[in-house]
Amino acid sequence: MPQVVSNLWFAEQAREAVEFYVSVIPDSRIGRTTILPAETPSGPPGSVELIEFTLGDQALLAMKAGPLDSFNHSFSIAILLDSQAEIDRIWDAFLANGGTPEACGWLKDRWGLSWQIVPRALSEMVADSDRERAKRVTEVMLGMVKIDLAALERAFNG
């Protein structure tokens, strides 16, 4: 069976970023690290580092390979959580580590990567067959920076 792995290109500090991510997100770990022994477009032998890691059940690869393209909103990592306490803990950890809050549960970490720190229930609420309930939740969510699960549940329940 094929395995799909998202790759994250860091100009520098890939190891620092990965160590932070796995320290904050439960059930995460760093796997193999590989230093490329050959000359690459990014630099001389030894200048490119590949770090395999897992966040929850998602496999990723961080590559420290010098500047190319910076991260932007077209790619983000969503962390789906079950409680406000989990949302608060992870949100606060990212901000304390130099992250910047955005809107609707989004933030940018200090390396410029976009994250969505959201309750698992949100996708069910906005997809609900009662479109009025879904609209209320969506409108409330659009006014938030950090997600407030209780406020979403109140909007959903009318």
Side-chain angles (χ1 to χ4, degrees):
M1 172 183 281
Q3 181 181 11
V4 177
V5 177
S6 296
N7 289 275
L8 305 173
W9 183 304
F10 291 82
E12 53 188 44
Q13 297 183 336
R15 164 78 45 196
E16 187 176 352
V18 169
E19 288 174 352
F20 171 72
Y21 301 153
V22 301
S23 75
V24 172
I25 300 167
D27 301 318
S28 299
R29 68 185 186 292
I30 296 174
R32 179 174 50 196
T33 296
T34 304
I35 306 294
L36 295 185
E39 179 87 20
T40 72
S42 295
S47 64
V48 175
E49 180 180 21
L50 307 174
I51 306 164
E52 298 173 27
F53 67 109
T54 304
L55 297 179
D57 61 357
Q58 177 67 52
L60 296 119
L61 177 90
M63 178 170 39
K64 180 190 71 91
L68 181 64
D69 294 319
S70 56
F71 295 120
N72 63 53
H73 289 97
S74 65
F75 179 84
S76 66
I77 297 176
I79 305 175
L80 308 178
L81 300 159
D82 293 319
S83 72
Q84 189 67 47
E86 291 175 300
I87 292 167
D88 293 345
R89 184 187 68 76
I90 291 176
W91 181 270
D92 294 345
F94 272 84
L95 295 186
N97 193 48
T100 305
E102 293 188 332
C104 307
W106 286 62
L107 59 79
K108 245 185 218 293
D109 70 22
R110 73 182 226 203
W111 298 279
L113 184 60
S114 292
W115 295 79
Q116 298 175 57
I117 314 300
V118 295
R120 188 180 318 274
L122 179 59
S123 62
E124 294 302 317
M125 289 182 204
V126 298
D128 193 84
S129 61
D130 182 333
R131 300 315 295 156
E132 187 55 40
R133 292 175 94 181
K135 179 181 177 188
R136 287 192 311 265
V137 167
T138 302
E139 288 173 344
V140 167
M141 183 266 307
L142 289 170
M144 295 177 175
V145 176
K146 178 173 71 172
I147 296 296
D148 178 340
L149 179 55
L152 294 178
E153 290 170 338
R154 283 192 301 275
F156 185 71
N157 293 322

